[in-house]
């Protein structure tokens, strides 16, 4: 398996290489947890060279925080503890 930064480079290049000539801004959306890897990939010599060659500005933007996985027992849900937990974090109704 490749390092995360290498995976990010491949992902960026996959779309950058197929960008039409009218594209002037290339925004790469990512999760918060992947931001550092995608930023490093975007700043790599290979990608910067391709951006410059095509006259495109590129940047990475966080579009979402990492999704959380919550495990609760039936008892937690039935007794309202799950609802309380979600409400305290702004995720409940």
């Amino acid at each position: 398996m490749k390092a995360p930064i290498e995976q990010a480079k491949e992902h960026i290049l996959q779309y950058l290489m197929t960008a039409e000539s009218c594209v002037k801004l290339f925004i790469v959306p990512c999760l918060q947890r992947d931001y550092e890897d995608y930023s490093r990939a975007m700043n790599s010599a290979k990608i910067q060279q391709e951006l410059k060659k095509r006259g495109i500005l590129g940047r990475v933007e966080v579009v979402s925080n990492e999704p959380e996985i919550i495990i609760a027992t039936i008892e937690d849900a039935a007794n309202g503890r799950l609802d309380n937990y979600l409400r305290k974090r702004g995720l409940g109704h």
Side-chain angles (χ1 to χ4, degrees), residues 68-80:
E68 292 184 28
I69 297 173
I70 300 170
I71 300 174
T73 65
I74 292 173
E75 184 178 322
D76 288 337
N79 290 330

Side-chain angles (χ1 to χ4, degrees), residues 8 30-39 60:
C30 70
L31 296 174
Q32 179 67 49
R33 69 176 180 187
D34 298 328
Y35 182 79
E36 187 175 328
D37 292 324
Y38 273 91
S39 290
V60 178

Side-chain angles (χ1 to χ4, degrees), residues 10 24 46 50 55 57 62 64 67-68 72-73:
E10 287 179 2
K24 297 301 173 202
K46 186 173 185 176
E50 192 62 34
L57 294 174
V62 174
S64 176
E68 292 184 28
T73 65

Side-chain angles (χ1 to χ4, degrees), residues 26-65:
F26 186 78
I27 300 173
V28 178
C30 70
L31 296 174
Q32 179 67 49
R33 69 176 180 187
D34 298 328
Y35 182 79
E36 187 175 328
D37 292 324
Y38 273 91
S39 290
R40 287 173 141 176
M42 183 66 82
N43 291 324
S44 71
K46 186 173 185 176
I47 291 179
Q48 286 299 309
Q49 179 182 4
E50 192 62 34
L51 288 168
K52 187 175 181 177
K53 181 174 96 175
R54 293 170 175 259
I56 299 174
L57 294 174
R59 72 174 185 243
V60 178
E61 286 188 11
V62 174
V63 293
S64 176
N65 290 326

Side-chain angles (χ1 to χ4, degrees), residues 3-14:
I5 191 169
E6 293 304 318
Q7 291 178 34
K9 283 181 193 178
E10 287 179 2
H11 184 242
I12 292 170
L13 284 172
Q14 174 185 356

